[in-house]
Amino acid sequence: MHAFILDAIAQTVEQAELDEAFQRIAEERWTRVLNTGKTVPWDDAKAYLKARALGERARKPTARKLRP
Protein backbone atom coordinates (compact mmCIF):
# COMPACT_ATOMS: atom_id res chain seq x y z
CA MET A 1 0.00 0.00 0.00
CA HIS A 2 2.83 2.37 0.88
CA ALA A 3 4.45 1.86 -2.54
CA PHE A 4 1.12 2.58 -4.24
CA ILE A 5 0.76 5.88 -2.38
CA LEU A 6 4.34 6.89 -3.18
CA ASP A 7 3.77 6.07 -6.85
CA ALA A 8 0.57 8.13 -6.91
CA ILE A 9 2.36 11.09 -5.33
CA ALA A 10 5.25 10.80 -7.80
CA GLN A 11 2.83 10.72 -10.75
CA THR A 12 0.97 13.76 -9.40
CA VAL A 13 4.19 15.73 -8.94
CA GLU A 14 5.40 14.75 -12.42
CA GLN A 15 2.10 15.84 -13.98
CA ALA A 16 2.18 19.15 -12.09
CA GLU A 17 5.71 19.79 -13.38
CA LEU A 18 4.67 18.98 -16.94
CA ASP A 19 1.65 21.27 -16.64
CA GLU A 20 3.82 24.11 -15.30
CA ALA A 21 6.32 23.70 -18.15
CA PHE A 22 3.50 23.68 -20.71
CA GLN A 23 2.00 26.85 -19.23
CA ARG A 24 5.40 28.58 -19.16
CA ILE A 25 6.09 27.76 -22.82
CA ALA A 26 2.57 28.83 -23.83
CA GLU A 27 2.98 32.15 -22.00
CA GLU A 28 6.37 32.78 -23.65
CA ARG A 29 4.93 32.07 -27.09
CA TRP A 30 1.84 34.21 -26.50
CA THR A 31 4.07 37.07 -25.34
CA ARG A 32 6.10 36.72 -28.54
CA VAL A 33 2.91 36.88 -30.62
CA LEU A 34 1.79 40.01 -28.79
CA ASN A 35 5.20 41.67 -29.12
CA THR A 36 5.77 40.87 -32.80
CA GLY A 37 2.19 40.71 -34.02
CA LYS A 38 3.18 37.65 -36.06
CA THR A 39 1.65 34.20 -36.02
CA VAL A 40 1.22 31.21 -38.30
CA PRO A 41 -2.31 30.72 -39.66
CA TRP A 42 -3.88 27.49 -38.41
CA ASP A 43 -4.54 26.13 -41.90
CA ASP A 44 -0.84 26.51 -42.79
CA ALA A 45 0.30 24.92 -39.51
CA LYS A 46 -2.19 22.07 -39.89
CA ALA A 47 -1.05 21.29 -43.45
CA TYR A 48 2.58 21.31 -42.32
CA LEU A 49 1.92 19.00 -39.38
CA LYS A 50 -0.16 16.63 -41.51
CA ALA A 51 2.59 16.35 -44.12
CA ARG A 52 5.22 15.70 -41.44
CA ALA A 53 3.01 13.06 -39.81
CA LEU A 54 2.77 11.30 -43.17
CA GLY A 55 6.56 11.34 -43.47
CA GLU A 56 6.57 13.91 -46.25
CA ARG A 57 9.02 16.76 -46.53
CA ALA A 58 7.28 20.01 -45.83
CA ARG A 59 8.32 23.65 -45.79
CA LYS A 60 7.77 25.29 -42.42
CA PRO A 61 4.96 27.86 -42.59
CA THR A 62 5.97 31.51 -42.38
CA ALA A 63 4.72 33.72 -39.58
CA ARG A 64 2.67 36.69 -40.74
CA LYS A 65 1.32 39.82 -39.09
CA LEU A 66 -2.07 39.43 -37.48
CA ARG A 67 -4.89 41.24 -39.20
CA PRO A 68 -6.60 43.88 -37.04
Side-chain angles (χ1 to χ4, degrees):
M1 185 66 141
H2 181 70
F4 176 77
I5 293 170
L6 290 178
D7 188 45
I9 291 170
Q11 287 179 9
T12 301
V13 169
E14 182 180 358
Q15 187 61 52
E17 290 171 347
L18 290 171
D19 291 347
E20 188 278 327
F22 177 83
Q23 291 298 325
R24 182 179 39 77
I25 291 169
E27 186 63 34
E28 289 170 1
R29 290 179 180 177
W30 181 242
T31 298
R32 189 178 327 136
V33 167
L34 294 176
N35 288 338
T36 66
K38 291 183 177 181
T39 188
V40 174
W42 172 240
D43 289 337
D44 295 352
K46 186 169 59 172
Y48 171 76
L49 293 171
K50 182 177 180 181
R52 291 296 307 262
L54 294 173
E56 300 171 1
R57 290 182 53 119
R59 174 180 270 166
K60 284 187 178 181
T62 304
R64 298 187 291 223
K65 285 277 189 180
L66 291 170
R67 294 181 192 163

